[in-house]
Amino acid sequence: MSLEGILAVHKPAGMTSHDVVAKTRRILKMKRIGHTGTLDPEVTGVLPLCLGRATRVVEYMQELPKEYEATLRLGMATDTEDLTGNVTAQVDRVNVTPEEAEKALKTFLGTISQVPPMYSAVKVDGKRLYELAREGKTVERKSREVTIYEIEMKGHEWHGPFLDISFRALCSKGTYIRTLCVDIGKALGLPATMVQLKRTMSAGISDSECLTLAEIERLMDEGRLQEHLIKVDHAIRHLPAHTVSDEKAAAALQGQRLSGRAVTPEVRSPGCIRLYDSAGAFLGIFEKQEESGAIAPVKVFLPGT
């Protein structure tokens, strides 16, 4: 039986997300692997990989909040918004206290507007921004709304004339932490850039659950990797769980629509659910249709296939 589930990888610095996927494909000797959101090469931390049929739930996992631990440097700015770029501005001395910096962090709680950085994968007129940036071009970008659910200062340290601020942020999909660092600097009237970034949680998976590439290779050689995978339905546990009656379970697996009365507890509002049979086997993702009230299949998972 081929591997199936979510493989939580700790991405090391110096590798792209694509590099990690490619290496994992070689280790596992399988092609059907997808990730739930890229990380820049120098960023470390949680990179969930979906193996086999688990690739069908990538879109549901991507919508979940992500948590990061970051360090920003007050007093210096770069063209990439991190230390990989060229310095574009700096001050002789930062005259900001850690208390003032912490107060500025708190002002970013809630829904905020961000302009995607030039060094990002966002497309403008069919071309990725980082491609334009490498050509020395700067183009106008539309701002987008993102949400910062939690943000807290973790520490501070003077780095010569500059002040490094470490913080933790829980945020929505699409948030650029590099840009957040720059905007925090602007709120304090200073140039700023990101020094370090680690993703500590993605799709409900924490860094403590992750395996290194070396550990994955060892477990694969020992034939024990499957027991370390997160089950598909557990990865989408933010969707409410419901059970279908035994007489209708076969119909559900055949992709038929179900009466709302066949499902318990009652599905009260439209949206996706996880559906199980009476023995607890995961049958797939279903959705209550607003007009008819029927429970319709979205993605069926035949047990044992």
Side-chain angles (χ1 to χ4, degrees), residues 15-235:
M15 293 182 75
T16 66
S17 299
H18 178 76
D19 291 338
V20 174
V21 171
K23 182 160 186 176
T24 305
R25 283 190 176 122
R26 291 195 294 271
I27 295 170
L28 274 50
K29 297 180 175 62
M30 66 183 297
K31 291 183 178 179
R32 199 177 177 188
I33 299 178
H35 62 72
T36 62
T38 59
L39 289 174
D40 290 339
E42 295 311 310
V43 179
T44 64
V46 183
L47 183 66
L49 301 186
C50 296
L51 312 183
R53 291 191 305 170
T55 55
R56 300 175 69 203
V57 301
V58 165
E59 62 193 276
Y60 302 95
M61 295 174 66
Q62 285 176 331
E63 296 302 317
L64 294 171
K66 297 172 173 61
E67 184 183 69
Y68 297 90
E69 288 182 358
T71 301
L72 71 89
R73 178 160 296 164
L74 290 172
M76 175 197 296
T78 67
D79 55 3
T80 59
E81 301 186 350
D82 61 20
L83 289 187
T84 65
N86 300 310
V87 175
T88 56
Q90 65 181 55
V91 297
D92 294 331
R93 180 71 187 177
V94 171
N95 295 310
V96 167
T97 67
E99 292 75 21
E100 289 170 331
E102 185 170 20
K103 188 175 180 181
L105 286 180
K106 296 297 184 184
T107 65
F108 287 85
L109 269 173
T111 300
I112 63 171
S113 182
Q114 281 193 330
V115 176
M118 277 302 302
Y119 283 88
S120 67
V122 173
K123 282 188 175 181
V124 173
D125 296 330
K127 204 162 187 180
R128 298 199 182 276
L129 286 176
Y130 64 75
E131 294 173 337
L132 295 169
R134 287 169 184 163
E135 296 171 6
K137 298 175 182 176
T138 301
V139 297
E140 189 175 343
R141 289 96 72 199
K142 290 182 180 179
S143 64
R144 54 172 64 178
E145 287 193 340
V146 297
T147 304
I148 309 297
Y149 301 106
E150 298 174 12
I151 189 166
E152 63 172 336
M153 187 163 146
K154 303 291 288 184
H156 67 277
E157 183 179 356
W158 286 98
H159 187 87
F162 310 125
L163 179 61
D164 285 2
I165 300 294
S166 300
F167 65 94
R168 178 189 69 85
L170 180 68
C171 53
S172 65
K173 168 190 173 182
T175 304
Y176 286 98
I177 301 298
R178 284 179 290 152
T179 301
L180 179 62
C181 290
V182 170
D183 290 343
I184 291 168
K186 287 178 181 176
L188 290 162
L190 289 165
T193 195
M194 189 179 76
V195 174
Q196 194 172 16
L197 182 63
K198 178 182 180 181
R199 187 156 70 188
T200 52
M201 190 268 288
S202 178
I205 299 168
S206 69
D207 192 49
S208 62
E209 298 175 78
C210 291
L211 300 170
T212 65
L213 289 168
E215 289 170 333
I216 291 167
E217 193 161 15
R218 175 178 58 79
L219 289 166
M220 188 64 182
D221 289 341
E222 295 171 356
R224 297 195 299 116
L225 187 60
Q226 180 66 54
E227 63 193 73
H228 289 267
L229 300 183
I230 298 166
K231 292 181 178 180
V232 174
D233 60 317
H234 186 72

Side-chain angles (χ1 to χ4, degrees), residues 254-291:
Q254 290 169 7
Q256 296 180 23
R257 295 199 312 171
L258 307 171
S259 164
R261 294 187 297 274
V263 175
T264 57
E266 179 186 352
V267 184
R268 296 190 177 276
S269 56
C272 289
I273 64 168
R274 287 174 291 145
L275 194 63
Y276 296 84
D277 67 16
S278 61
F282 177 56
L283 305 181
I285 299 170
F286 286 68
E287 183 177 27
K288 181 177 180 179
Q289 297 185 325
E290 195 163 5
E291 290 184 6

